[in-house]
Amino acid sequence: MSSESTGSRDFIRAIIDEDLKVKNYEGRVHTRFPPEPNGYLHIGHAKSICLNFGIAGEYGGLCNLRFDDTNPSKEEVEYVDSIKEDVRWLGFDWGERLFYASDYFGQLYDFAVELIKTGNAYVCDLSPEEIRQYRGTLTEPGKDSPYRTRPVEENLDLFERMRAGEFEDGTRTLRAKIDMASGNLNMRDPVMYRILRAEHHRTGNAWCIYPMYDFAHGQSDSIERITHSLCTLEFEDHRPLYDWFLDRLGVYHPRQIEFARLNLTYTVLSKRKLIRLVREGHVDAWNDPRMPTISGMRRRGYTPEAIRNFCDRIGVAKRDSTVDMGLLEYCVREDLNRRAPRVMAVLRPLRVVIVNYPEDLVEEMDAVNNPEDPAMGTRKVPFSRVLYIERDDFRETPPKQFFRLSPGREVRLRYAYYITCVGVIKDEQTGEVVELHCTYDPATRGGDSPDGRKVKSTLHWVSAAHAVEAEVRLYDYLFSAPEPGGAEEGQDFLASLNPGSLDTLQSCRVEPSLAGAEPGSRVQFERLGYFCVDSVESRPDALVFNRTVTLRDTWAKIEKGAK
Ligand code: ATP
Ligand code: MG
């Protein structure tokens, strides 16, 4: 897939080009996407997925999906399933190449034994706390563990007994014997295995020792004969360790290349933080449409094409940066503009009676489904004496530059007639406008006046008797700060949660063509934005729409600017 992907020459593709030129890796390109199944995928992962699968596609290579499932205490089958669903939905196919690091536990154990035998690993009895103390700091070297010089035979015996379950959790570790004075903290005898009695989602209780990420990852890459192991920048300092393990083992050696992770304004892209949002109930679930997760974005109405296009546009670089959420929204609008049928819906209905329109007449107006794509055809929209328009589209005393309906003013109803407001009915108690009386000009049917009379605005509407009631959920950014992750030290990222991120409107009215709309289907509500039928809570007789993204709203801009 992704043959249409631009495949611009970023630094990673340049490295691969060079490798191919000098015939490294027998001219193969083989990447992998290695999620840890400890949460749902987010848009940052989409960047990595598009990069890994995209490169494999462009070079006629392969890309594996590998679950990095070395930490049973945080991992769950639910996450594995959601990750597979999300990668597929994004449009990528791992074919037969679905792997789990846990499939290699036996092999990894053998590798560890090998390193003990060659004097490159030892069993250490320091507690986790002591290991931390011995490690030193960025400015001070660490101290050798008193167990560092254990003879090979003793190490082999102890490691075997660790595996056999003779020791308590946390009482011993297997460590690589590298250099406690290294300037790189990752090289100060890192832990390779820990004792942990936890049931693993695939291996059950077969193991009570588990490999650490750094030991599992590179060796898994090697076992799968990956050529280019693409990961994010925080692993740059781990590369010497990645290389060290492979070199000491003398096995096939892939090349690790780091790129900058995606950061997006007004949201957080870290599973640790996303888990808190879910667990503490700040959102409904992982697939809450406000979440930056793939499943949340899918439910919100984003398309895989829009997300892939976004990933193409941001490209890959070596320096961290933050991408404006506006770019993602732009990509979604661009895609939905092409594909989403236009319909009319009124979110905050205001009743309009066309006083000179016959009581029982219903006309079928022809409406264009998508001006961007004539092939999408037209539909009929019923028009009758009582309509709803948007409350916002009427002002009793219109400010300057407000060109919509007001007393005495004439406007166009889309695909229908010109109408003029001739009366305003108010609630006697509250003074709230509850109904408008208007006249229509029968000669303007279809929306144009034969005498060339101009109106300054066109409103959407629905016929009261024919409209379908619906719930509509309007979403705003989940956080009100552009960089909630960058909250000052000690200040929780949750402090900048946006209390107005969800606005649920009941009793909205949508045109009758939407009756029974399929969950997941996407439309543009004219003048309001792109919407998607909620895939979880919408019912054919109780429709729920999620706003995917607004259209650019010129009036809101004017009003904001005027303040
Ligand atoms: P998080 O910080 O959200 O927990 P992670 O890196 O721990 O993310 P993994 O499941 O280990 O999550 O990630 C799988 C792959 O996706 C890794 O190769 C990782 O580098 C990449 N990845 C994760 N987050 C981003 C991001 N924001 N931008 C680009 N790639 C990412
Ligand atoms: Mg990780």
Side-chain angles (χ1 to χ4, degrees):
M1 79 129 290
S2 207
S3 52
E4 83 270 79
S5 147
T6 58
S8 51
R9 296 289 104 183
D10 50 64
F11 78 99
I12 294 182
R13 288 171 171 93
I15 290 173
I16 296 176
D17 287 344
E18 187 56 31
D19 278 337
L20 288 176
K21 210 161 89 195
V22 302
K23 304 235 159 35
N24 280 342
Y25 312 110
E26 309 114 36
R28 294 178 307 118
V29 174
H30 197 154
T31 55
R32 84 287 170 267
F33 172 64
E36 183 182 353
N38 61 351
Y40 281 60
L41 297 183
H42 53 63
I43 180 80
H45 294 112
K47 173 177 179 174
S48 174
I49 293 166
C50 289
L51 181 66
N52 280 293
F53 281 94
I55 281 181
E58 287 159 37
Y59 288 92
L62 299 170
C63 181
N64 297 355
L65 174 61
R66 183 203 315 144
F67 287 99
D68 240 325
D69 53 350
T70 54
N71 187 0
S73 54
K74 289 192 176 161
E75 295 161 6
E76 288 172 27
V77 175
E78 178 195 346
Y79 298 141
V80 170
D81 294 340
S82 76
I83 289 169
K84 288 197 270 187
E85 185 185 356
D86 289 350
V87 174
R88 243 185 246 121
W89 179 77
L90 280 173
F92 298 103
D93 183 6
W94 54 86
E96 309 280 277
R97 292 173 307 283
L98 173 62
F99 301 108
Y100 295 84
S102 56
D103 290 344
Y104 311 136
F105 281 171
Q107 170 82 72
L108 292 170
Y109 180 85
D110 292 344
F111 279 149
V113 169
E114 178 75 21
L115 289 176
I116 295 173
K117 285 184 179 160
T118 51
N120 288 300
Y122 62 97
V123 172
C124 179
D125 300 359
L126 293 180
S127 69
E129 182 48 36
E130 287 165 326
I131 289 183
R132 243 190 315 278
Q133 285 162 8
Y134 276 67
R135 187 176 294 131
T137 64
L138 280 173
T139 48
E140 279 170 54
K143 269 193 308 183
D144 282 1
S145 159
Y147 307 98
R148 200 171 197 266
T149 50
R150 265 185 171 142
V152 169
E153 285 313 313
E154 193 182 331
N155 284 320
L156 285 173
D157 173 63
L158 284 172
F159 188 50
E160 199 179 316
R161 288 163 61 197
M162 276 170 66
R163 177 193 184 167
E166 279 191 35
F167 311 120
E168 294 293 303
D169 286 10
T171 53
R172 286 193 164 87
T173 56
L174 182 73
R175 300 177 66 178
K177 194 192 263 187
I178 308 180
D179 178 8
M180 289 307 291
S182 170
N184 182 341
L185 290 169
N186 294 303
M187 300 298 274
R188 294 186 187 170
D189 293 9
V191 172
M192 295 165 56
Y193 269 91
R194 65 208 196 286
I195 307 174
L196 179 67
R197 282 170 182 80
E199 185 164 314
H200 188 280
H201 68 110
R202 287 179 60 85
T203 58
N205 295 304
W207 294 86
C208 64
I209 56 171
Y210 288 97
M212 301 302 286
Y213 175 87
D214 277 326
F215 182 61
H217 192 78
Q219 281 47 254
S220 300
D221 281 347
S222 173
I223 292 167
E224 292 176 15
R225 300 188 66 76
I226 298 303
T227 56
H228 299 86
S229 177
L230 313 178
C231 62
T232 35
L233 278 182
E234 68 270 24
F235 291 103
E236 193 169 11
D237 289 346
H238 296 241
R239 184 167 11 107
L241 183 55
Y242 182 101
D243 291 336
W244 188 89
F245 281 131
L246 292 168
D247 287 343
R248 295 295 154 126
L249 286 166
V251 294
Y252 170 82
H253 195 148
R255 171 166 186 176
Q256 174 177 309
I257 307 171
E258 307 85 18
F259 64 95
R261 55 195 297 130
L262 170 66
N263 300 300
L264 254 192
T265 54
Y266 298 102
T267 193
V268 291
L269 296 183
S270 139
K271 281 183 278 185
R272 195 172 47 78
K273 289 178 178 164
L274 296 175
I275 279 181
R276 280 192 63 193
L277 293 173
V278 176
R279 298 228 168 116
E280 297 174 19
H282 303 292
V283 295
D284 294 335
W286 282 99
N287 67 353
D288 186 302
R290 291 167 292 181
M291 290 283 271
T293 51
I294 307 293
S295 53
M297 293 170 62
R298 173 166 65 237
R299 188 172 167 196
R300 172 112 169 221
Y302 281 54
T303 60
E305 290 80 1
I307 296 175
R308 293 202 306 259
N309 184 246
F310 170 75
C311 291
D312 254 9
R313 276 171 197 262
I314 57 175
V316 286
K318 270 195 252 198
R319 210 150 17 102
D320 272 320
S321 66
T322 300
V323 175
D324 196 307
M325 181 70 97
L327 179 62
L328 179 59
E329 295 179 340
Y330 171 85
C331 293
V332 178
R333 274 192 202 105
E334 189 183 52
D335 187 38
L336 292 177
N337 181 41
R338 277 193 296 260
R339 66 164 78 210
R342 274 55 167 168
V343 292
M344 292 197 284
V346 173
L347 301 189
R348 297 173 180 90
L350 174 60
R351 216 173 120 91
V352 173
V353 180
I354 313 289
V355 292
N356 60 339
Y357 193 85
E359 289 274 354
D360 45 13
L361 181 61
V362 177
E363 288 181 271
E364 297 278 319
M365 301 302 184
D366 286 310
V368 175
N369 288 334
N370 189 343
E372 300 289 321
D373 182 4
M376 288 173 78
T378 61
R379 70 188 184 287
K380 301 281 185 194
V381 184
F383 183 90
S384 65
R385 183 179 157 90
V386 182
L387 312 169
Y388 288 114
I389 64 164
E390 208 68 61
R391 214 156 248 290
D392 278 359
D393 282 340
F394 174 78
R395 288 284 178 94
E396 197 173 10
T397 34
K400 236 168 74 185
Q401 296 190 66
F402 183 89
F403 299 120
R404 308 175 196 174
L405 199 58
S406 59
R409 182 176 296 164
E410 187 171 53
V411 299
R412 176 190 295 112
L413 292 183
R414 184 109 162 115
Y415 302 123
Y417 295 105
Y418 283 13
I419 59 166
T420 304
C421 178
V422 295
V424 180
I425 315 295
K426 295 183 184 172
D427 181 301
E428 278 177 16
Q429 249 93 69
T430 64
E432 187 196 11
V433 176
V434 291
E435 185 175 300
L436 301 179
H437 287 177
C438 294
T439 55
Y440 84 116
D441 176 358
T444 57
R445 186 178 162 146
D448 281 305
S449 164
D451 64 10
R453 208 159 78 237
K454 296 277 183 245
V455 288
K456 281 198 170 153
S457 84
T458 301
L459 309 186
H460 60 274
W461 52 274
V462 293
S463 165
H466 303 90
V468 177
E469 229 179 284
E471 176 178 317
V472 175
R473 299 172 181 170
L474 305 180
Y475 298 105
D476 195 356
Y477 297 144
L478 189 49
F479 293 90
S480 25
E483 293 196 25
E488 315 213 326
E489 202 125 348
Q491 205 208 337
D492 198 25
F493 74 102
L494 293 173
S496 54
L497 269 173
N498 174 7
S501 61
L502 169 61
D503 188 6
T504 303
L505 306 177
Q506 309 286 350
S507 306
C508 306
R509 300 293 202 288
V510 303
E511 65 168 65
S513 71
L514 287 170
E518 283 293 313
S521 53
R522 306 179 181 95
V523 289
Q524 181 193 104
F525 289 171
E526 294 217 19
R527 301 178 60 229
L528 297 172
Y530 294 97
F531 292 75
C532 167
V533 181
D534 189 74
S535 54
V536 180
E537 283 163 346
S538 190
R539 302 282 169 267
D541 58 347
L543 294 174
V544 178
F545 289 89
N546 298 324
R547 184 164 66 195
T548 312
V549 64
T550 56
L551 304 173
R552 270 137 304 177
D553 182 342
T554 40
W555 169 248
K557 250 187 224 148
I558 292 171
E559 201 167 43
K560 230 179 176 172
K563 268 182 197 158

